[in-house]
PDB file of all heavy atoms in Angstrom:
ATOM      1  N   PRO A 655      17.961  10.205  -9.762  1.00 98.00           N
ATOM      2  CA  PRO A 655      17.544  10.574  -8.402  1.00 98.00           C
ATOM      3  C   PRO A 655      18.286   9.779  -7.320  1.00 98.00           C
ATOM      4  O   PRO A 655      18.663   8.624  -7.541  1.00 98.00           O
ATOM      5  CB  PRO A 655      16.057  10.213  -8.367  1.00 98.00           C
ATOM      6  CG  PRO A 655      15.650  10.042  -9.773  1.00 98.00           C
ATOM      7  CD  PRO A 655      16.860   9.646 -10.544  1.00 98.00           C
ATOM      8  N   THR A 656      18.453  10.402  -6.177  1.00 97.00           N
ATOM      9  CA  THR A 656      19.083   9.731  -5.037  1.00 97.00           C
ATOM     10  C   THR A 656      18.018   8.959  -4.251  1.00 97.00           C
ATOM     11  O   THR A 656      16.820   9.094  -4.520  1.00 97.00           O
ATOM     12  CB  THR A 656      19.722  10.766  -4.090  1.00 97.00           C
ATOM     13  OG1 THR A 656      18.689  11.675  -3.660  1.00 97.00           O
ATOM     14  CG2 THR A 656      20.820  11.547  -4.793  1.00 97.00           C
ATOM     15  N   GLN A 657      18.450   8.168  -3.296  1.00 97.00           N
ATOM     16  CA  GLN A 657      17.559   7.489  -2.355  1.00 97.00           C
ATOM     17  C   GLN A 657      16.597   6.506  -3.010  1.00 97.00           C
ATOM     18  O   GLN A 657      15.431   6.389  -2.612  1.00 97.00           O
ATOM     19  CB  GLN A 657      16.743   8.521  -1.534  1.00 97.00           C
ATOM     20  CG  GLN A 657      17.568   9.552  -0.779  1.00 97.00           C
ATOM     21  CD  GLN A 657      18.385   8.935   0.337  1.00 97.00           C
ATOM     22  OE1 GLN A 657      18.000   7.946   0.939  1.00 97.00           O
ATOM     23  NE2 GLN A 657      19.548   9.507   0.599  1.00 97.00           N
ATOM     24  N   THR A 658      17.067   5.816  -4.037  1.00 98.00           N
ATOM     25  CA  THR A 658      16.238   4.757  -4.624  1.00 98.00           C
ATOM     26  C   THR A 658      17.101   3.692  -5.291  1.00 98.00           C
ATOM     27  O   THR A 658      18.155   4.002  -5.845  1.00 98.00           O
ATOM     28  CB  THR A 658      15.228   5.312  -5.664  1.00 98.00           C
ATOM     29  OG1 THR A 658      14.374   4.244  -6.099  1.00 98.00           O
ATOM     30  CG2 THR A 658      15.910   5.939  -6.874  1.00 98.00           C
ATOM     31  N   ASP A 659      16.614   2.454  -5.228  1.00 97.00           N
ATOM     32  CA  ASP A 659      17.236   1.363  -5.984  1.00 97.00           C
ATOM     33  C   ASP A 659      16.259   0.823  -7.024  1.00 97.00           C
ATOM     34  O   ASP A 659      16.511  -0.205  -7.641  1.00 97.00           O
ATOM     35  CB  ASP A 659      17.638   0.212  -5.041  1.00 97.00           C
ATOM     36  CG  ASP A 659      18.799   0.620  -4.134  1.00 97.00           C
ATOM     37  OD1 ASP A 659      19.740   1.269  -4.640  1.00 97.00           O
ATOM     38  OD2 ASP A 659      18.749   0.309  -2.933  1.00 97.00           O
ATOM     39  N   GLU A 660      15.117   1.498  -7.144  1.00 98.00           N
ATOM     40  CA  GLU A 660      14.113   1.012  -8.088  1.00 98.00           C
ATOM     41  C   GLU A 660      13.288   2.183  -8.637  1.00 98.00           C
ATOM     42  O   GLU A 660      12.153   2.428  -8.213  1.00 98.00           O
ATOM     43  CB  GLU A 660      13.184  -0.006  -7.398  1.00 98.00           C
ATOM     44  CG  GLU A 660      12.384  -0.835  -8.383  1.00 98.00           C
ATOM     45  CD  GLU A 660      11.449  -1.832  -7.694  1.00 98.00           C
ATOM     46  OE1 GLU A 660      11.216  -1.708  -6.478  1.00 98.00           O
ATOM     47  OE2 GLU A 660      10.930  -2.716  -8.403  1.00 98.00           O
ATOM     48  N   LEU A 661      13.899   2.902  -9.581  1.00 98.00           N
ATOM     49  CA  LEU A 661      13.207   4.018 -10.227  1.00 98.00           C
ATOM     50  C   LEU A 661      12.413   3.482 -11.417  1.00 98.00           C
ATOM     51  O   LEU A 661      12.973   2.781 -12.261  1.00 98.00           O
ATOM     52  CB  LEU A 661      14.223   5.061 -10.702  1.00 98.00           C
ATOM     53  CG  LEU A 661      13.623   6.306 -11.351  1.00 98.00           C
ATOM     54  CD1 LEU A 661      12.936   7.193 -10.307  1.00 98.00           C
ATOM     55  CD2 LEU A 661      14.702   7.097 -12.092  1.00 98.00           C
ATOM     56  N   HIS A 662      11.132   3.788 -11.488  1.00 98.00           N
ATOM     57  CA  HIS A 662      10.282   3.322 -12.591  1.00 98.00           C
ATOM     58  C   HIS A 662       9.793   4.479 -13.453  1.00 98.00           C
ATOM     59  O   HIS A 662       9.602   5.588 -12.969  1.00 98.00           O
ATOM     60  CB  HIS A 662       9.041   2.592 -12.034  1.00 98.00           C
ATOM     61  CG  HIS A 662       9.288   1.147 -11.718  1.00 98.00           C
ATOM     62  ND1 HIS A 662       8.265   0.258 -11.513  1.00 98.00           N
ATOM     63  CD2 HIS A 662      10.437   0.430 -11.587  1.00 98.00           C
ATOM     64  CE1 HIS A 662       8.764  -0.943 -11.252  1.00 98.00           C
ATOM     65  NE2 HIS A 662      10.072  -0.874 -11.281  1.00 98.00           N
ATOM     66  N   HIS A 663       9.549   4.163 -14.731  1.00 98.00           N
ATOM     67  CA  HIS A 663       8.916   5.121 -15.647  1.00 98.00           C
ATOM     68  C   HIS A 663       7.424   4.830 -15.733  1.00 98.00           C
ATOM     69  O   HIS A 663       7.015   3.658 -15.664  1.00 98.00           O
ATOM     70  CB  HIS A 663       9.530   5.001 -17.053  1.00 98.00           C
ATOM     71  CG  HIS A 663       9.482   3.612 -17.614  1.00 98.00           C
ATOM     72  ND1 HIS A 663       8.341   3.064 -18.149  1.00 98.00           N
ATOM     73  CD2 HIS A 663      10.430   2.642 -17.694  1.00 98.00           C
ATOM     74  CE1 HIS A 663       8.588   1.836 -18.550  1.00 98.00           C
ATOM     75  NE2 HIS A 663       9.854   1.541 -18.273  1.00 98.00           N
ATOM     76  N   GLU A 664       6.605   5.880 -15.885  1.00 98.00           N
ATOM     77  CA  GLU A 664       5.167   5.743 -16.152  1.00 98.00           C
ATOM     78  C   GLU A 664       4.805   6.820 -17.176  1.00 98.00           C
ATOM     79  O   GLU A 664       4.735   7.999 -16.830  1.00 98.00           O
ATOM     80  CB  GLU A 664       4.344   5.960 -14.865  1.00 98.00           C
ATOM     81  CG  GLU A 664       4.609   4.946 -13.771  1.00 98.00           C
ATOM     82  CD  GLU A 664       3.668   5.101 -12.559  1.00 98.00           C
ATOM     83  OE1 GLU A 664       2.861   6.055 -12.545  1.00 98.00           O
ATOM     84  OE2 GLU A 664       3.759   4.259 -11.651  1.00 98.00           O
ATOM     85  N   VAL A 665       4.575   6.431 -18.416  1.00 98.00           N
ATOM     86  CA  VAL A 665       4.195   7.423 -19.434  1.00 98.00           C
ATOM     87  C   VAL A 665       2.719   7.775 -19.272  1.00 98.00           C
ATOM     88  O   VAL A 665       1.886   6.898 -19.034  1.00 98.00           O
ATOM     89  CB  VAL A 665       4.500   6.913 -20.868  1.00 98.00           C
ATOM     90  CG1 VAL A 665       3.695   5.682 -21.230  1.00 98.00           C
ATOM     91  CG2 VAL A 665       4.251   8.025 -21.886  1.00 98.00           C
ATOM     92  N   GLU A 666       2.406   9.065 -19.391  1.00 98.00           N
ATOM     93  CA  GLU A 666       1.022   9.494 -19.142  1.00 98.00           C
ATOM     94  C   GLU A 666       0.630  10.688 -20.030  1.00 98.00           C
ATOM     95  O   GLU A 666       1.458  11.548 -20.331  1.00 98.00           O
ATOM     96  CB  GLU A 666       0.862   9.924 -17.666  1.00 98.00           C
ATOM     97  CG  GLU A 666       1.422   8.867 -16.722  1.00 98.00           C
ATOM     98  CD  GLU A 666       0.924   8.942 -15.293  1.00 98.00           C
ATOM     99  OE1 GLU A 666       0.079   9.801 -14.986  1.00 98.00           O
ATOM    100  OE2 GLU A 666       1.390   8.113 -14.483  1.00 98.00           O
ATOM    101  N   LEU A 667      -0.623  10.730 -20.404  1.00 98.00           N
ATOM    102  CA  LEU A 667      -1.189  11.931 -21.025  1.00 98.00           C
ATOM    103  C   LEU A 667      -1.370  12.971 -19.923  1.00 98.00           C
ATOM    104  O   LEU A 667      -1.899  12.662 -18.853  1.00 98.00           O
ATOM    105  CB  LEU A 667      -2.556  11.607 -21.648  1.00 98.00           C
ATOM    106  CG  LEU A 667      -3.336  12.816 -22.181  1.00 98.00           C
ATOM    107  CD1 LEU A 667      -2.700  13.353 -23.465  1.00 98.00           C
ATOM    108  CD2 LEU A 667      -4.810  12.464 -22.422  1.00 98.00           C
ATOM    109  N   VAL A 668      -0.928  14.206 -20.196  1.00 98.00           N
ATOM    110  CA  VAL A 668      -1.098  15.284 -19.218  1.00 98.00           C
ATOM    111  C   VAL A 668      -2.072  16.313 -19.787  1.00 98.00           C
ATOM    112  O   VAL A 668      -1.927  16.742 -20.934  1.00 98.00           O
ATOM    113  CB  VAL A 668       0.249  15.967 -18.899  1.00 98.00           C
ATOM    114  CG1 VAL A 668       0.066  17.001 -17.779  1.00 98.00           C
ATOM    115  CG2 VAL A 668       1.299  14.931 -18.508  1.00 98.00           C
ATOM    116  N   VAL A 669      -3.062  16.684 -18.988  1.00 98.00           N
ATOM    117  CA  VAL A 669      -4.045  17.697 -19.392  1.00 98.00           C
ATOM    118  C   VAL A 669      -3.637  19.038 -18.780  1.00 98.00           C
ATOM    119  O   VAL A 669      -3.295  19.103 -17.599  1.00 98.00           O
ATOM    120  CB  VAL A 669      -5.455  17.328 -18.895  1.00 98.00           C
ATOM    121  CG1 VAL A 669      -6.489  18.300 -19.471  1.00 98.00           C
ATOM    122  CG2 VAL A 669      -5.809  15.894 -19.247  1.00 98.00           C
ATOM    123  N   LEU A 670      -3.668  20.105 -19.584  1.00 98.00           N
ATOM    124  CA  LEU A 670      -3.314  21.446 -19.117  1.00 98.00           C
ATOM    125  C   LEU A 670      -4.580  22.296 -19.082  1.00 98.00           C
ATOM    126  O   LEU A 670      -5.287  22.405 -20.102  1.00 98.00           O
ATOM    127  CB  LEU A 670      -2.292  22.097 -20.055  1.00 98.00           C
ATOM    128  CG  LEU A 670      -0.846  21.561 -20.029  1.00 98.00           C
ATOM    129  CD1 LEU A 670      -0.742  20.160 -20.598  1.00 98.00           C
ATOM    130  CD2 LEU A 670       0.079  22.491 -20.797  1.00 98.00           C
TER     131      LEU A 670
END
Side-chain angles (χ1 to χ4, degrees):
T656 58
Q657 304 293 329
T658 185
D659 291 318
E660 196 181 14
L661 182 72
H662 276 195
H663 55 78
E664 297 186 356
V665 63
E666 310 200 2
L667 173 72
V668 185
V669 187
L670 288 69

